[in-house]
Every structure is written in structure tokens, then in C-alpha cells.
Amino acid sequence: MRRSLVAGLTLAAFAALIIGLGQLFGLDLQAVALLGAALGGVLGRVPHRFPLGRLGGFVLGFVVAWVGYALRAAVLPDSATGRAVAAFLVVAVIATACAVSAERVPLWSGLLGAAAIAGAYEEVYTNAPSQFLKESPSAATTILLAAALGYLATTLVAEGVSAGAAREGRRVRRADDDVPNDQIDVLLAGETK
């Protein structure tokens, strides 16, 4: 409970910091501050055996979804059919890449990366599909900055809580420990109590 509270409050402070940085540097971070901080926070908090796999999945999903927008702008019709084909291709490529990685890259992190660019860019794209080359880099960099700060906030908190517990002589399970999360994971692994 304490760990979640500390992580949540740190993430809240970082979300406010993201907006402040946007003001300071003249970036339009206000629109994506909460989205990016929340996505980065999830990426930092959800446990997975391969920490680099979480980040790799996020980047994979982000890039694949961005390419999906490029396909929509260049090749696919601006219709429900074009959007459906792009969505299918994006999710199929992410799922295939994650499966090929033998779960080293988790599907959820790939989908999180795709959601990041979609949440930050879909409205802008819908308003001006022909401006993909001009508008998408701005949307991509702002959401990546916000997500990176959210990830940093929750990762630093996890490390800080673990370090504090170590000083007190007790073990705290970290997000990247190779331990089943719950009874379902134990059952899926073929183990019983």
C-alpha cells in the first residue's frame, strides 16, 4: 500500500513537472502530460522478467503504430476500411513480434506503445492526414518525453523503496523479479501448492 501511494504521488508530481517543462520550453506538453505520465507509470510498475523487454515492447508498439499512421496517410483510403486495415496490421505485427521473442517482449508493453502514439496523435491526424510528415514528429516526441518522465518516476520510486527496505533488512519484491505474480501464474506454469 505504501509503495503504491509513494509511486502515485511521485507520478503526480512528475505529471505536474511535465506541464511545467512544457511551459518553460514552449512545448505543447499539456495535452499529453497525463496520458504520457500514466503510460510511463504503467510501464515502470508492471512486473516482467525482462526489464529491457518492457521498454523494447513499448518502443516496438510505438514505432509500428507510427508506421501504421504513415500507411494510412500514404496508401490506405481515409475511410473506416482504411482505419480497420491499419489497426489490424499494427496489432498483428506487434503480436507476432512478441510471440517470436518467446515472451521476452511482452504483448502488453507493445500495445501500450501503440496506445501512446494513438492517444497523442489520432485527433491531429484525423484533422489533417496530409500533414503526417509535419505533425507526427511533434506528437511523437511530446508523448515520448511525457512517458519517459512517467517511467522514470515509477522506476526511481521502486528503486528507492527497495533500497530503503534493504537498509531495514527486509526483502521487497521488485517488478523485475522472476517470481510468479499470483496463483494464476503458478497454475499456468504447471505448479501446484
Side-chain angles (χ1 to χ4, degrees), residues 4 6 47 56 98 106 159:
S4 292
V6 171
C98 292
E159 293 300 319

Side-chain angles (χ1 to χ4, degrees), residues 2 161-172:
R2 178 178 160 214
V161 170
S162 294
R167 282 192 300 270
E168 294 174 12
R170 54 189 172 92
R171 168 99 165 95
V172 173

Side-chain angles (χ1 to χ4, degrees), residues 110-124:
L111 297 174
L112 204 63
I117 188 66
Y121 183 60
E122 179 65 34
E123 185 178 347
V124 175

Side-chain angles (χ1 to χ4, degrees), residues 80-130:
T81 302
R83 289 185 288 278
V85 168
F88 175 82
L89 289 174
V90 166
V91 175
V93 168
I94 293 169
T96 302
C98 292
V100 168
S101 78
E103 297 301 320
R104 286 182 180 87
V105 175
L107 178 61
W108 65 264
S109 70
L111 297 174
L112 204 63
I117 188 66
Y121 183 60
E122 179 65 34
E123 185 178 347
V124 175
Y125 177 83
T126 301
N127 291 334
S130 63

